[in-house]
Amino acid sequence: MPSFAMQCLETEPELNSNVVTINVGGQIFQSTKQTLTQAGPKSILSQLAKTTSNHFFDRDPDYFSLLLSLLRTGTIPSKLKDFDLRDLIEESRFYGLESLLTSSLTNPSHFDAFALQKSSILPLNGRDSPSTIATTPFGSLHVSHGSKITSFDWSLTRKSTILTQFSAVDSLLAISLDIAAAGATDFSGLQILDLQNGSIKQVLNWENVTRSGSTVQAIGSSGEFLFTSFESSRRNSNSILVYDMNTLNPVTEIGRNEIFGADLDSAIPATKLRWVSSLGLLMASGSHSGLSGVSGNIRFWDIRSGNVVFELKEKVDCFSDVCASDNLNAIFKVGVNSGEVFYADLRAMEIKCFVVEKGIFSCGRKL
């Protein structure tokens, strides 16, 4: 009959079967399988959870300690300020934890690069001021300045810059990690750029009745479509084209205006495009400054029927900016004269339907 001490030795492996021992640069770490699986299926750490044998990584143990804390608590400890952020990113990439690091619940103040400061601290080449910015779902940031576009990774510490054909980029939209759509109000065509090697993958144009150039006034997107507001170089026509986001083939055209005489409303191209997913509608807004002041319009388009389901014309206190919020079910505008912020509840809109095809209705709402 085994002694009590022998029984303890025999049951110890079973009690510790959930513990994984990891040797990083000569320093021993222990963690549970549950903690390591938080790294995700693509991380080498989650693979360690499938075994209890010892493992060795010839890496820096101090940075591994930070990443292990991230797995345990979802945050990086405040001692991060004593480390180099770029080195931490490199270590996170080795272990397959970079995406977890970017989406962590870490206090942004722990990352100097994440603290909200003036954009002039971003190291941009040349003397041109930034004209437009675009963010990606991957945490990266694209900044256009003059004829150049500089891309930063999510930590704002690594960058690459390309030179475009534009004198200045007025509209910029990230399509994927390295692909962006760019346009200008004084240059014809929407360019699809490869930001990794600086090449033009494709140029999208709008054919207007005068067969003149087509400048880009605004770009927007949904998960499925790319929206582009074009204006003819002669400024006598404008339109919004809808492209398939994957193939970049044109799907439909909405809001085509041929301007005759003093028809001011049709002369205003959309200078801002915003997809409102809760309504399934495209919000297009634009304004014009004339002798009588600033006037503009806000239109909600049903791209399936090509109809406007709601329109707001602004003449008394036109907007200097306007946006729609899915989460708040609201439209916000900043009055160009008053400087005040105004609010409209999208839930107060009345249903308005159009027949798209026989037996098929396309519905929007009207305030």
Side-chain angles (χ1 to χ4, degrees):
M1 181 176 180
S3 65
F4 179 78
M6 182 62 70
Q7 289 180 11
C8 292
L9 290 175
E10 289 177 349
T11 58
E12 186 176 4
E14 182 178 353
L15 292 175
N16 294 335
S17 61
N18 192 42
V19 176
V20 179
T21 301
I22 307 172
N23 185 334
V24 181
Q27 186 171 333
I28 303 300
F29 295 87
Q30 287 188 317
S31 185
T32 64
K33 293 181 178 180
Q34 289 86 347
T35 296
L36 295 179
T37 54
Q38 297 299 315
K42 295 184 179 180
S43 171
I44 58 176
L45 295 181
S46 63
Q47 302 301 317
L48 304 185
K50 300 177 181 179
T51 176
T52 56
S53 58
N54 294 341
H55 305 275
F56 176 77
F57 292 112
D58 192 14
R59 309 292 294 190
D60 192 307
D62 293 330
Y63 285 99
F64 182 80
S65 175
L66 295 175
L67 297 173
L68 188 58
S69 294
L70 172 64
L71 295 178
R72 287 169 173 164
T73 65
T75 64
I76 296 291
S78 58
K79 64 179 180 180
L80 171 66
K81 60 180 179 291
D82 298 326
F83 293 82
D84 188 294
L85 179 59
R86 289 172 295 182
D87 290 339
L88 177 63
I89 295 172
E90 285 300 320
E91 291 299 299
S92 71
R93 288 172 178 167
F94 173 80
Y95 295 108
L97 297 175
E98 184 178 14
S99 61
L100 186 64
L101 189 62
T102 60
S103 61
S104 71
L105 302 177
T106 301
N107 188 332
S109 65
H110 295 170
F111 292 98
D112 290 339
F114 283 171
L116 297 178
Q117 301 178 38
K118 292 182 179 180
S119 60
S120 59
I121 67 168
L122 292 177
L124 301 175
N125 299 330
R127 299 181 179 181
D128 297 305
S129 300
S131 56
T132 185
I133 60 175
T135 59
T136 76
F138 312 96
S140 53
L141 173 70
H142 307 309
V143 182
S144 65
H145 48 112
S147 58
K148 300 176 286 294
I149 298 177
T150 296
S151 301
F152 295 87
D153 70 359
W154 65 270
S155 67
L156 303 183
T157 58
R158 296 178 183 273
K159 68 171 185 174
S160 60
T161 302
I162 67 165
L163 186 65
T164 70
Q165 296 179 342
F166 306 106
S167 58
V169 178
D170 298 305
S171 299
L172 185 63
L173 177 76
I175 296 178
S176 65
L177 181 61
D178 298 314
I179 306 299
T185 57
D186 61 353
F187 196 95
S188 182
L190 176 70
Q191 295 189 1
I192 308 301
L193 303 175
D194 188 326
L195 300 178
Q196 193 169 23
N197 55 35
S199 63
I200 301 174
K201 294 178 63 68
Q202 193 173 349
V203 179
L204 306 177
N205 282 292
W206 170 57
E207 186 173 330
N208 53 79
V209 291
T210 58
R211 298 188 181 278
S212 60
S214 52
T215 61
V216 175
Q217 303 298 309
I219 313 173
S221 69
S222 65
E224 187 178 359
F225 300 111
L226 171 68
F227 310 108
T228 307
S229 172
F230 286 106
E231 183 180 40
S232 64
S233 298
R234 297 182 181 180
R235 305 188 69 181
N236 59 356
S237 58
N238 55 72
S239 182
I240 299 173
L241 262 65
V242 181
Y243 298 93
D244 183 282
M245 183 65 86
N246 295 318
T247 64
L248 296 180
N249 292 327
V251 176
T252 187
E253 179 182 8
I254 59 177
R256 186 184 184 106
N257 292 309
E258 306 295 341
I259 302 165
F260 301 98
D263 185 5
L264 182 60
D265 286 341
S266 61
I268 302 175
T271 54
K272 188 168 188 177
L273 300 172
R274 168 77 160 80
W275 178 253
V276 185
S277 57
S278 61
L279 301 178
L281 301 174
L282 175 66
M283 186 188 77
S285 60
S287 61
H288 172 81
S289 179
L291 296 177
S292 59
V294 181
S295 61
N297 54 63
I298 303 170
R299 296 187 175 108
F300 282 79
W301 290 91
D302 184 333
I303 62 174
R304 295 165 295 179
S305 67
N307 291 309
V308 176
V309 299
F310 164 65
E311 180 176 10
L312 174 65
K313 295 185 178 181
E314 297 272 80
K315 293 183 178 180
V316 178
D317 189 12
C318 189
F319 51 86
S320 59
D321 196 13
V322 61
C323 68
S325 171
D326 275 314
N327 294 334
L328 299 177
N329 291 302
I331 312 173
F332 297 92
K333 81 160 189 177
V334 178
V336 69
N337 296 324
S338 64
E340 296 180 352
V341 178
F342 296 86
Y343 157 86
D345 193 337
L346 292 175
R347 293 168 296 185
M349 298 172 73
E350 297 177 0
I351 298 296
K352 181 179 181 182
C353 298
F354 300 92
V355 177
V356 181
E357 297 176 7
K358 186 176 181 180
I360 300 178
F361 289 87
S362 179
C363 296
R365 298 180 181 179
K366 183 178 181 182
L367 285 176

